[in-house]
Coordinates of all heavy atoms in Angstrom, one line a residue:
L2 N -13.1 30.3 30.1 CA -12.6 29.2 30.9 C -11.4 28.5 30.4 O -10.5 28.2 31.2 CB -13.8 28.2 31.3 CG -13.4 27.1 32.3 CD1 -12.9 27.8 33.6 CD2 -14.6 26.2 32.6
P3 N -11.4 28.0 29.1 CA -10.2 27.4 28.6 C -8.9 28.2 28.8 O -7.8 27.7 29.0 CB -10.5 27.1 27.1 CG -12.0 27.0 27.1 CD -12.5 28.0 28.1
L4 N -9.0 29.6 28.7 CA -7.9 30.5 28.9 C -7.5 30.4 30.4 O -6.3 30.2 30.7 CB -8.3 31.9 28.6 CG -7.2 33.0 28.9 CD1 -6.1 32.9 27.9 CD2 -7.9 34.4 28.9
Y5 N -8.4 30.4 31.3 CA -8.1 30.3 32.7 C -7.5 29.0 33.1 O -6.8 28.9 34.1 CB -9.3 30.7 33.6 CG -9.6 32.2 33.6 CD1 -10.8 32.7 34.2 CD2 -8.8 33.1 32.9 CE1 -11.1 34.0 34.2 CE2 -9.1 34.4 32.9 CZ -10.2 34.9 33.6 OH -10.5 36.2 33.6
Q6 N -8.0 27.9 32.4 CA -7.5 26.6 32.7 C -6.1 26.3 32.1 O -5.5 25.3 32.4 CB -8.5 25.6 32.2 CG -9.8 25.5 33.0 CD -10.8 24.6 32.3 OE1 -10.8 24.4 31.1 NE2 -11.6 24.0 33.2
G7 N -5.6 27.3 31.3 CA -4.3 27.1 30.7 C -4.3 26.3 29.4 O -3.2 26.0 28.9
E8 N -5.5 26.0 28.9 CA -5.6 25.3 27.6 C -5.4 26.1 26.4 O -5.2 25.7 25.3 CB -6.9 24.5 27.6 CG -7.1 23.5 28.7 CD -8.5 22.9 28.7 OE1 -9.3 23.3 27.8 OE2 -8.8 22.1 29.6
Q9 N -5.6 27.4 26.6 CA -5.4 28.4 25.5 C -4.6 29.6 26.0 O -4.6 29.9 27.2 CB -6.8 29.0 25.1 CG -7.7 27.9 24.5 CD -7.4 27.5 23.0 OE1 -6.6 28.2 22.4 NE2 -8.0 26.5 22.5
D10 N -3.8 30.2 25.1 CA -3.0 31.4 25.4 C -3.7 32.7 25.0 O -3.3 33.7 25.5 CB -1.6 31.3 24.8 CG -0.8 30.1 25.3 OD1 -1.0 29.8 26.5 OD2 -0.1 29.5 24.4
S11 N -4.6 32.6 24.1 CA -5.3 33.8 23.6 C -6.8 33.6 23.6 O -7.3 32.4 23.4 CB -4.8 34.2 22.2 OG -5.6 35.1 21.6
L12 N -7.6 34.6 23.7 CA -9.0 34.5 23.7 C -9.6 34.5 22.3 O -10.8 34.5 22.1 CB -9.7 35.7 24.5 CG -10.0 35.4 25.9 CD1 -10.6 36.7 26.6 CD2 -11.0 34.2 26.1
D13 N -8.8 34.5 21.3 CA -9.3 34.6 19.9 C -10.3 33.4 19.6 O -11.2 33.6 18.9 CB -8.1 34.4 18.9 CG -7.2 35.6 18.9 OD1 -6.4 35.8 19.8 OD2 -7.3 36.4 17.9
Y14 N -10.0 32.3 20.2 CA -10.9 31.1 20.0 C -12.3 31.3 20.3 O -13.2 30.6 19.8 CB -10.3 29.9 20.8 CG -10.5 30.0 22.3 CD1 -11.6 29.6 22.9 CD2 -9.5 30.7 23.0 CE1 -11.8 29.7 24.3 CE2 -9.7 30.8 24.4 CZ -10.8 30.3 25.0 OH -11.0 30.5 26.4
A15 N -12.6 32.2 21.3 CA -13.9 32.3 21.9 C -14.8 33.5 21.3 O -15.9 33.6 21.7 CB -13.9 32.5 23.4
V16 N -14.2 34.3 20.4 CA -14.9 35.5 19.9 C -16.0 35.1 19.0 O -15.8 34.3 18.1 CB -13.9 36.5 19.2 CG1 -14.7 37.6 18.6 CG2 -12.9 37.0 20.2
R17 N -17.2 35.7 19.2 CA -18.3 35.4 18.3 C -19.1 36.7 18.0 O -19.0 37.7 18.8 CB -19.3 34.4 18.9 CG -19.9 34.9 20.2 CD -20.6 33.7 20.9 NE -21.7 33.2 20.3 CZ -22.3 32.1 20.6 NH1 -21.8 31.4 21.7 NH2 -23.4 31.6 20.0
P18 N -19.7 36.9 16.9 CA -20.5 38.1 16.6 C -21.8 38.1 17.4 O -22.3 37.1 17.9 CB -20.8 38.0 15.1 CG -20.8 36.5 14.8 CD -19.8 35.9 15.7
T19 N -22.4 39.3 17.5 CA -23.7 39.5 18.1 C -24.7 40.1 17.1 O -24.3 40.4 16.0 CB -23.6 40.4 19.3 OG1 -23.4 41.8 18.9 CG2 -22.5 40.0 20.3
Y20 N -25.9 40.3 17.5 CA -26.9 40.9 16.6 C -26.6 42.3 16.4 O -27.1 42.9 15.4 CB -28.3 40.7 17.3 CG -28.6 41.8 18.3 CD1 -29.4 42.9 18.0 CD2 -28.0 41.8 19.6 CE1 -29.6 43.9 19.0 CE2 -28.2 42.7 20.5 CZ -29.1 43.8 20.2 OH -29.3 44.8 21.1
W21 N -25.7 42.9 17.2 CA -25.4 44.4 17.1 C -24.2 44.5 16.3 O -23.1 44.2 16.8 CB -25.3 45.0 18.5 CG -25.3 46.5 18.5 CD1 -24.2 47.3 18.3 CD2 -26.4 47.4 18.7 NE1 -24.5 48.6 18.3 CE2 -25.9 48.7 18.6 CE3 -27.7 47.2 18.9 CZ2 -26.7 49.8 18.7 CZ3 -28.5 48.3 19.1 CH2 -28.0 49.6 19.0
D22 N -24.3 45.1 15.1 CA -23.1 45.2 14.2 C -22.0 46.1 14.9 O -22.3 47.1 15.5 CB -23.5 45.9 12.9 CG -22.4 46.0 11.9 OD1 -22.1 44.9 11.2 OD2 -21.8 47.0 11.8
G23 N -20.8 45.6 14.8 CA -19.7 46.3 15.4 C -19.4 45.9 16.9 O -18.5 46.4 17.5
V24 N -20.2 45.0 17.4 CA -20.0 44.5 18.8 C -19.9 43.0 18.7 O -20.8 42.3 18.4 CB -21.1 44.9 19.7 CG1 -20.9 44.3 21.1 CG2 -21.2 46.4 19.9
D25 N -18.7 42.4 19.0 CA -18.5 41.0 19.2 C -18.4 40.7 20.7 O -18.3 41.6 21.5 CB -17.2 40.5 18.5 CG -17.3 40.7 17.0 OD1 -18.4 40.8 16.4 OD2 -16.2 40.7 16.3
I26 N -18.5 39.4 21.0 CA -18.5 39.0 22.4 C -17.8 37.7 22.7 O -17.7 36.8 21.8 CB -20.0 38.9 22.9 CG1 -20.0 38.7 24.4 CG2 -20.7 37.7 22.3 CD1 -21.4 38.8 25.0
V27 N -17.1 37.6 23.8 CA -16.7 36.4 24.4 C -17.8 36.1 25.5 O -17.9 36.8 26.5 CB -15.3 36.4 25.0 CG1 -15.0 35.1 25.8 CG2 -14.3 36.7 24.0
A28 N -18.6 35.1 25.2 CA -19.8 34.9 26.0 C -19.6 34.2 27.3 O -18.5 33.7 27.5 CB -20.9 34.1 25.1
A29 N -20.6 34.1 28.1 CA -20.5 33.4 29.4 C -21.7 32.5 29.6 O -22.7 32.7 29.0 CB -20.4 34.4 30.5
S30 N -21.5 31.5 30.5 CA -22.5 30.6 30.9 C -22.2 30.2 32.3 O -21.0 30.5 32.8 CB -22.7 29.4 30.0 OG -21.5 28.6 30.1
P31 N -23.0 29.5 33.0 CA -22.6 29.1 34.4 C -21.3 28.3 34.5 O -20.7 28.4 35.6 CB -23.8 28.2 34.8 CG -25.0 28.7 34.0 CD -24.4 29.1 32.7
I32 N -20.8 27.7 33.5 CA -19.6 27.0 33.5 C -18.4 27.9 33.8 O -17.4 27.4 34.4 CB -19.3 26.2 32.2 CG1 -18.2 25.2 32.3 CG2 -19.0 27.2 31.1 CD1 -18.5 24.1 33.3
V33 N -18.6 29.2 33.6 CA -17.5 30.2 33.8 C -17.1 30.2 35.3 O -16.0 30.6 35.7 CB -17.9 31.5 33.3 CG1 -17.0 32.6 33.8 CG2 -17.9 31.5 31.7
Y34 N -18.1 29.8 36.2 CA -17.8 29.8 37.6 C -16.6 28.9 37.9 O -15.9 29.2 39.0 CB -19.0 29.4 38.4 CG -18.9 29.5 39.9 CD1 -18.9 30.8 40.5 CD2 -18.7 28.4 40.7 CE1 -18.7 30.9 41.9 CE2 -18.5 28.5 42.0 CZ -18.5 29.7 42.6 OH -18.3 29.9 44.0
D35 N -16.3 27.9 37.1 CA -15.2 27.1 37.4 C -13.8 27.8 37.3 O -12.8 27.3 37.8 CB -15.2 25.9 36.3 CG -16.2 24.9 36.6 OD1 -17.0 25.0 37.6 OD2 -16.3 23.9 35.9
A36 N -13.8 29.0 36.8 CA -12.6 29.8 36.8 C -12.1 30.1 38.2 O -10.9 30.2 38.5 CB -12.8 31.1 36.1
E37 N -13.1 30.1 39.2 CA -12.8 30.4 40.5 C -12.0 29.2 41.2 O -11.5 29.4 42.3 CB -14.0 30.8 41.3 CG -14.8 32.0 40.8 CD -13.9 33.2 40.6 OE1 -13.1 33.5 41.5 OE2 -13.9 33.7 39.4
F38 N -12.0 28.1 40.5 CA -11.3 26.9 41.0 C -10.0 26.7 40.2 O -8.9 26.4 40.7 CB -12.1 25.7 41.0 CG -13.4 25.8 41.8 CD1 -14.6 26.1 41.2 CD2 -13.4 25.5 43.1 CE1 -15.7 26.2 41.9 CE2 -14.5 25.7 43.9 CZ -15.7 26.0 43.3
A39 N -10.1 27.0 38.8 CA -9.0 26.7 37.9 C -7.8 27.6 38.3 O -6.7 27.1 38.3 CB -9.5 27.0 36.5
L40 N -8.0 28.9 38.5 CA -6.9 29.8 38.7 C -6.1 29.5 40.0 O -4.9 29.5 40.0 CB -7.4 31.3 38.7 CG -7.8 31.8 37.3 CD1 -8.4 33.1 37.4 CD2 -6.6 31.8 36.4
P41 N -6.8 29.3 41.2 CA -6.1 29.0 42.4 C -5.4 27.6 42.3 O -4.3 27.5 42.9 CB -7.1 29.0 43.5 CG -8.4 28.9 42.8 CD -8.3 29.6 41.5
V42 N -5.9 26.7 41.6 CA -5.3 25.4 41.4 C -3.9 25.6 40.6 O -2.9 25.0 41.0 CB -6.2 24.4 40.6 CG1 -5.4 23.2 40.1 CG2 -7.3 23.9 41.5
R43 N -4.0 26.4 39.6 CA -2.7 26.7 38.8 C -1.7 27.4 39.7 O -0.5 27.2 39.6 CB -3.0 27.5 37.6 CG -3.9 26.8 36.6 CD -4.2 27.6 35.4 NE -3.0 28.0 34.6 CZ -2.9 28.8 33.6 NH1 -4.0 29.4 33.2 NH2 -1.8 29.0 32.9
Q44 N -2.2 28.3 40.6 CA -1.3 29.0 41.5 C -0.6 28.0 42.5 O 0.6 28.2 42.8 CB -2.0 30.1 42.2 CG -1.1 31.0 43.1 CD -1.9 32.0 43.8 OE1 -3.1 31.9 44.0 NE2 -1.2 33.1 44.2
M45 N -1.4 27.1 43.0 CA -0.9 26.1 43.9 C 0.2 25.2 43.2 O 1.2 24.8 43.8 CB -2.0 25.2 44.5 CG -2.9 25.9 45.4 SD -4.3 24.9 45.9 CE -3.4 23.5 46.7
Q46 N 0.0 24.9 42.0 CA 0.9 24.1 41.2 C 2.2 24.8 40.9 O 3.3 24.2 40.7 CB 0.2 23.5 40.0 CG -0.9 22.6 40.2 CD -1.7 22.2 39.0 OE1 -1.6 22.9 38.0 NE2 -2.5 21.1 39.1
D47 N 2.1 26.1 40.7 CA 3.2 26.9 40.3 C 3.3 28.2 41.1 O 2.5 29.1 40.8 CB 3.2 27.3 38.8 CG 4.4 28.1 38.3 OD1 5.3 28.4 39.2 OD2 4.4 28.6 37.2
P48 N 4.1 28.3 42.1 CA 4.1 29.5 43.0 C 4.4 30.8 42.3 O 4.1 31.9 42.8 CB 5.2 29.2 44.0 CG 5.4 27.7 44.0 CD 5.0 27.3 42.6
H49 N 5.0 30.7 41.1 CA 5.4 31.9 40.3 C 4.3 32.3 39.3 O 4.4 33.3 38.6 CB 6.7 31.7 39.5 CG 7.9 31.4 40.4 ND1 8.5 32.3 41.2 CD2 8.5 30.2 40.6 CE1 9.5 31.8 41.9 NE2 9.5 30.5 41.6

């Protein structure tokens, strides 16, 4: 979500390890649904 809101330029901030060696994750929770509002709002603010 912070990436989609424009607060971050890279997803490095969100990477975390998992129980499975060799597999890391950028996790999700219900708050991720806000991306469906954040991206169109940014598009309305900047047509390009």
Side-chain angles (χ1 to χ4, degrees):
L2 188 56
L4 176 73
Y5 285 176
Q6 290 174 328
E8 297 173 2
Q9 298 282 349
D10 296 324
S11 168
L12 265 179
D13 290 76
Y14 69 89
V16 175
R17 62 195 292 170
T19 71
Y20 81 103
W21 191 276
D22 187 78
V24 177
D25 293 341
I26 190 171
V27 174
S30 69
I32 192 66
V33 168
Y34 186 72
D35 285 0
E37 302 310 311
F38 303 96
L40 290 172
V42 166
R43 293 178 67 185
Q44 186 183 21
M45 289 175 62
Q46 293 171 343
D47 179 6
H49 300 289

